[in-house]
Amino acid sequence: MLEKESLWATATRCHQALTAAGIPHAVVGGMAVCLHGYQRTTVDIDLIIIPGVSERVRTCLESTGFQWDAEQREFRDASGVVVQFLIAGERAGKGSDVTLPDPRDPATTETVEGFPVATLARLIEMKIACGEGSIRRTHKDFADVVELVAAHDLDGTFAAQLHKSVRKTFRALVKNARGGA
């Protein structure tokens, strides 16, 4: 298991390099879950970028010491931390109506501990959409949502902030977070 310090140091280095290059990005995935208040183990960094900047990202990160793994389609730093990129506008999960947010949109991203991060509502949408689209990911993504619900004391009314396609699942997860009540 990677040490948390390695992950945060890599995330900081990656964020600084992308910011210096003027490449919009936002943190999602497990690191975003942590930044939104549920501390759990994660071993990689997931970032959303805008379409059309993949080559700029590659040049930027390689010049900063990251290595591109073409087979896995991800970057790694010297400590072994993996950095993966998702493209804004693509589907958040297989067959989902939810799309990945644009990191330039202030309605879908916010700054948390110095990082641009998907807002809580967008993160929950993505987690549900991804979990619904892949049985392999369902348990982890839904568990993240349940823990975020508990950490923020959310109730069913929060569903109004989510894409309509994930609202029913969100409400069911709220019930799980509240012990079935």
Side-chain angles (χ1 to χ4, degrees), residues 45-143:
I45 301 162
D46 299 306
L47 299 171
I48 293 177
I49 58 173
I50 59 173
V53 298
S54 296
E55 274 307 309
R56 284 181 54 211
V57 167
R58 185 171 177 180
T59 300
C60 172
L61 291 186
E62 285 180 338
S63 72
T64 313
F66 288 86
Q67 294 183 345
W68 173 246
D69 182 335
E71 185 176 317
Q72 296 297 317
R73 300 189 64 194
E74 62 193 20
F75 289 92
R76 291 184 184 271
D77 76 348
S79 69
V81 173
V82 171
V83 181
Q84 299 175 327
F85 289 90
L86 305 164
I87 308 297
E90 291 185 353
R91 293 186 187 277
K94 185 178 179 182
S96 177
D97 290 335
V98 175
T99 57
L100 299 172
D102 186 327
R104 300 169 294 189
D105 182 354
T108 64
T109 60
E110 61 186 321
T111 302
V112 181
E113 294 187 33
F115 293 99
V117 181
T119 63
L120 182 61
R122 297 301 72 83
L123 178 61
I124 287 173
E125 273 180 356
M126 288 183 281
K127 286 287 184 177
I128 292 172
C130 191
E132 288 178 333
S134 171
I135 191 69
R136 184 170 177 247
R137 296 202 45 96
T138 300
H139 297 88
K140 183 187 298 187
D141 288 327
F142 285 10

Side-chain angles (χ1 to χ4, degrees), residues 4-17:
K4 197 174 193 177
E5 292 79 20
S6 295
L7 182 79
W8 293 105
T10 299
T12 299
R13 202 168 107 236
C14 185
H15 167 61
Q16 290 172 341

